[in-house]
């Protein structure tokens, strides 16, 4: 049972444009969501998070939007840079627990 | 100085062998995890230890046995390796349970296991 889904395995964007990565979840109990970024031969690194009491969280070029009614979140990167080329994982959790459920990742390629 | 370090980075072995992957974190975190990323790229939790006590044990064959000698180390031992065990195994740590804006997972670089 795949509780967190990233339906786009890959995405290509021109440098300077907006990258939008999407994530859907099925368990309405999830109340904490994170995005991780992964370069080849490295482990995932934390990028940005949002709790379910918010619908938006911004950190520099990165903004995460949460639509609880649609059980959907998205990561916006503006402007996209070649160094942003990586695999992005969405994860969901319940606050106060230790279990994080990850999606299968979206490979972002930013073209110079 | 690597925060979460795993050894070995690559491991190629024959079916039926027993192997171990070691993990150490120098972040002072209380909780450590093992995640498996299979060929379909799912990143699935296997085990979690908090202060050397097992707190998460997902549906994993009992050929997999984690061991936490202290809160800075979490090792994974796999008996009687099978072809389907081929995957990348990631160790991670956190400074407590999921908390808004804090206690996120810090991952190691992964250990790629290939079973022939």
């Amino acid at each position: 049972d795949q509780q967190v889904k990233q339906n786009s395995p890959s995405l290509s964007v021109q440098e300077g444009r907006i990258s939008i990565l999407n994530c859907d979840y099925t368990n309405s109990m999830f109340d904490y969501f994170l995005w991780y970024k992964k370069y080849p031969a490295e482990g995932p690194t934390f990028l940005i998070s949002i709790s379910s009491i918010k619908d938006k969280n911004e950190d520099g070029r990165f903004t995460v939007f949460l639509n609880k009614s649609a059980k959907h979140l998205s990561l916006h990167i503006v402007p996209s840079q070649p160094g942003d080329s990586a695999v992005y994982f969405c994860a969901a959790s319940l606050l106060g627990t230790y279990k994080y459920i990850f999606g299968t990742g979206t490979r972002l390629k930013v073209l110079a | 100085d690597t925060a979460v370090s795993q050894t070995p980075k690559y491991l190629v072995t024959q079916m039926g062998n027993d192997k171990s992957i070691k993990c150490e974190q120098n972040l002072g975190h209380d909780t450590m995890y093992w995640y498996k990323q299979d060929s379909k790229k799912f990143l699935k939790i296997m085990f979690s230890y908090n202060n050397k006590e097992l707190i998460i044990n997902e549906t994993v064959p009992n050929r997999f046995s984690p061991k936490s000698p202290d809160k800075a180390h979490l090792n994974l031992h796999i008996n009687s390796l099978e072809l389907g065990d081929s995957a990348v195994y990631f160790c991670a740590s956190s400074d407590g349970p999921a908390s808004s804006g804090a206690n996120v997972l810090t991952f190691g670089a992964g250990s790629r296991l290939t079973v022939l």
Side-chain angles (χ1 to χ4, degrees):
Chain A
D1 178 26
Q2 201 180 330
Q3 297 187 67
V4 177
K5 300 178 188 179
Q6 294 176 257
N7 292 320
S8 298
S10 63
L11 174 69
S12 290
V13 169
Q14 281 298 130
E15 181 179 7
R17 305 294 290 267
I18 184 171
S19 295
I20 300 177
L21 296 97
N22 294 304
C23 178
D24 297 295
Y25 60 96
T26 57
N27 187 343
S28 57
M29 299 293 290
F30 288 142
D31 55 6
Y32 187 47
F33 305 90
L34 308 91
W35 285 94
Y36 278 78
K37 176 178 175 179
K38 183 184 179 307
Y39 292 119
E42 294 183 13
T45 55
F46 171 72
L47 193 55
I48 192 169
S49 65
I50 188 167
S51 71
S52 59
I53 61 170
K54 293 185 173 181
D55 52 19
K56 175 182 172 181
N57 189 25
E58 195 171 347
D59 183 3
R61 296 185 297 113
F62 301 92
T63 303
V64 56
F65 294 92
L66 176 63
N67 182 334
K68 289 185 290 291
S69 60
K71 297 196 194 75
H72 177 84
L73 64 154
S74 61
L75 174 69
H76 292 211
I77 306 174
V78 182
S80 301
Q81 298 172 354
D84 296 329
S85 297
V87 177
Y88 289 79
F89 288 96
C90 166
S93 184
L94 290 167
L95 287 168
T97 70
Y98 292 89
K99 197 168 175 180
Y100 296 82
I101 308 296
F102 283 80
T104 49
T106 296
R107 183 178 301 278
L108 172 67
K109 190 170 183 180
V110 180
L111 307 167
Chain B
D1 198 18
T2 307
V4 180
S5 57
Q6 305 179 218
T7 53
K9 197 168 174 68
Y10 299 97
L11 185 53
V12 181
T13 189
Q14 298 287 330
M15 269 198 317
N17 283 350
D18 303 338
K19 290 293 176 187
S20 293
I21 306 172
K22 296 185 175 183
C23 180
E24 176 181 5
Q25 55 97 1
N26 63 8
L27 298 166
H29 288 170
D30 288 334
T31 311
M32 295 185 73
Y33 310 76
W34 278 110
Y35 277 80
K36 178 182 178 181
Q37 186 179 33
D38 60 22
S39 57
K40 293 182 180 175
K41 305 302 180 190
F42 286 108
L43 195 57
K44 286 186 183 173
I45 189 164
M46 301 172 69
F47 302 104
S48 178
Y49 272 74
N50 181 249
N51 281 318
K52 303 194 297 174
E53 290 201 22
L54 184 66
I55 57 171
I56 295 176
N57 185 355
E58 289 295 287
T59 309
V60 175
N62 57 16
R63 299 180 295 102
F64 289 78
S65 53
K67 279 217 171 88
S68 182
D70 55 60
K71 72 174 195 178
H73 294 85
L74 180 61
N75 303 322
L76 183 65
H77 189 75
I78 316 170
N79 288 327
S80 304
L81 278 157
E82 300 178 357
L83 294 176
D85 297 333
S86 295
V88 181
Y89 293 86
F90 288 98
C91 177
S93 70
S94 72
D95 196 18
S99 173
S100 187
N103 297 350
V104 297
L105 296 175
T106 302
F107 283 90
S111 297
R112 181 177 293 276
L113 171 66
T114 303
V115 182
L116 303 174

